[in-house]
Amino acid sequence: MLELVNRVENHLTAGVVSNNQHFIDEVLGARQQAFEQEKAAFDRKMEAQTIRLEQEEQDRRVREEEERIQEEERMRQEEEQRRIEAEQLAERREQEERERAARDAEDAARREEQDAADRRRMDERNTGGSDDRGDGG
């Protein structure tokens, strides 16, 4: 009878009024056993919940570490991209400077050629003009 009563979730508990020690031990022992079973079930639930919470915390830490690693990798890639872009910009500027220097050198050479041609023409005019003056005088 006690086992049946202890299995029912909602039942009234009555006080034990007896002088029979054997009866008292059996009733209280059954209640103690039921309590211990309930406590053991509760402890198992709590242990399972603790394990689940610890696993969730571990999973959260792993996710955070993975996110941190991904962020570091993203930042490293961005830094590498900025470095490459800076090198490319420096190379373009150096190439532009070399091209500018080459154009300037070509322009200077053309001016020198033009100046030399202008001097020759002036010399020819001056020389040609003095020969004509010598013949005419």
Side-chain angles (χ1 to χ4, degrees):
M1 177 73 171
L2 287 174
E3 289 180 27
L4 180 63
V5 171
N6 285 330
R7 286 188 199 143
V8 176
E9 281 189 32
N10 297 319
H11 61 274
L12 294 175
T13 302
V16 177
V17 179
S18 175
N19 289 331
N20 184 337
Q21 189 61 43
H22 176 71
F23 176 76
I24 293 171
D25 290 345
E26 190 168 323
V27 170
L28 295 179
R31 292 299 307 151
Q32 181 65 28
Q33 183 180 9
F35 172 77
E36 288 175 2
Q37 289 172 348
E38 288 176 12
K39 182 180 180 308
F42 176 78
D43 289 346
R44 284 191 300 276
K45 286 179 184 178
M46 292 306 295
E47 184 178 351
Q49 185 176 7
T50 300
I51 290 170
R52 183 182 55 79
L53 291 173
E54 288 173 351
Q55 184 61 48
E56 288 175 359
E57 178 65 17
Q58 180 65 23
D59 292 347
R60 183 190 62 77
R61 286 188 196 131
V62 167
R63 277 192 312 276
E64 286 177 354
E65 181 66 13
E66 288 171 347
E67 290 170 0
R68 184 189 62 77
I69 290 170
Q70 288 173 350
E71 180 66 14
E72 286 177 357
E73 178 63 18
R74 185 188 63 75
M75 291 172 63
R76 188 197 62 75
Q77 288 175 350
E78 287 177 358
E79 181 63 29
E80 179 67 13
Q81 184 64 32
R82 283 191 294 272
R83 185 191 61 76
I84 289 170
E85 290 171 357
E87 287 177 358
Q88 290 171 342
L89 178 61
E91 289 173 8
R92 281 195 304 270
R93 287 180 177 167
E94 289 175 6
Q95 180 64 28
E96 289 171 357
E97 185 59 33
R98 285 191 296 272
E99 289 171 358
R100 188 177 304 116
R103 282 192 307 271
D104 290 349
E106 289 173 2
D107 290 347
R110 277 195 294 276
R111 282 193 301 272
E112 284 183 24
E113 288 176 14
Q114 186 64 39
D115 290 347
D118 289 347
R119 282 193 299 272
R120 280 194 302 274
R121 279 194 294 278
M122 293 291 282
D123 288 346
E124 287 174 2
R125 282 187 209 153
N126 290 338
T127 307
S130 64
D131 286 342
D132 288 342
R133 281 187 225 149
D135 290 338

